[in-house]
Amino acid sequence: MMNQTALTIQRPTKITLDQIASLLCSSFEGVSYWANVDMAYTPTDAEMADYETYGDWAGFAFYMVNHPDFKLTLTDCEEEETHTLTLDTLKKGIKVMAKKYPRNFNDFINDNIDAHLGDVYLQCSVFGEVIYG
């Protein structure tokens, strides 16, 4: 059959901080049915206005992923557990999504980002897999 997979090719893909912030932004639209997200750090007023460092995300502390103290807490409403999101856990989530959910990863790479994709991404970041939805 011609529609069978003949081979899978992995290729290096560069992910920017802006892409991570954009995906994180969309994730908050998709996780409200299972989680609450809160800031666990407070940028200074000067940092909030630092467009050179934080780009278009300056002023939006939830998405300033390259801030040295960036940390969000996510409370799982189903299990009543709290998880910490850092830039490292967000990077891990992208790797998990690329490996376990390649269709979603391809949507991300092709800038086809929506709430569902954000939800998949955040669950990959927190749990290492999709467990809700």
Side-chain angles (χ1 to χ4, degrees), residues 57-112:
W57 300 105
F60 300 96
F62 273 92
Y63 314 114
M64 293 167 57
V65 296
N66 58 327
H67 188 282
D69 298 325
F70 176 81
K71 188 185 302 184
L72 303 177
T73 56
L74 186 142
T75 304
D76 182 334
C77 299
E78 299 288 326
E79 301 297 325
E80 297 183 13
E81 294 178 1
T82 300
H83 306 275
T84 300
L85 294 173
T86 64
L87 181 55
D88 286 340
T89 57
L90 295 174
K91 288 178 182 179
K92 178 194 84 166
I94 290 176
K95 290 177 184 178
V96 168
M97 187 170 64
K99 184 173 184 170
K100 291 185 176 181
Y101 307 97
R103 180 175 291 153
N104 295 107
F105 181 75
N106 285 331
D107 283 344
F108 166 61
I109 293 303
N110 292 317
D111 204 26
N112 185 16

Side-chain angles (χ1 to χ4, degrees), residues 5-10:
T5 301
L7 67 131
T8 301
I9 298 173
Q10 295 181 358

Side-chain angles (χ1 to χ4, degrees), residues 11-83:
R11 63 184 173 119
T13 304
K14 293 181 181 180
I15 309 296
T16 66
L17 293 168
D18 184 62
Q19 286 175 296
I20 293 172
S22 293
L23 190 53
L24 182 62
C25 182
S26 70
S27 72
F28 295 150
E29 298 170 14
V31 302
S32 60
Y33 70 98
W34 66 269
N36 293 317
V37 182
D38 294 300
M39 286 184 13
Y41 82 110
T42 305
T44 65
D45 290 342
E47 290 168 333
M48 293 288 283
D50 185 354
Y51 285 89
E52 186 173 327
T53 302
Y54 303 108
D56 291 340
W57 300 105
F60 300 96
F62 273 92
Y63 314 114
M64 293 167 57
V65 296
N66 58 327
H67 188 282
D69 298 325
F70 176 81
K71 188 185 302 184
L72 303 177
T73 56
L74 186 142
T75 304
D76 182 334
C77 299
E78 299 288 326
E79 301 297 325
E80 297 183 13
E81 294 178 1
T82 300
H83 306 275

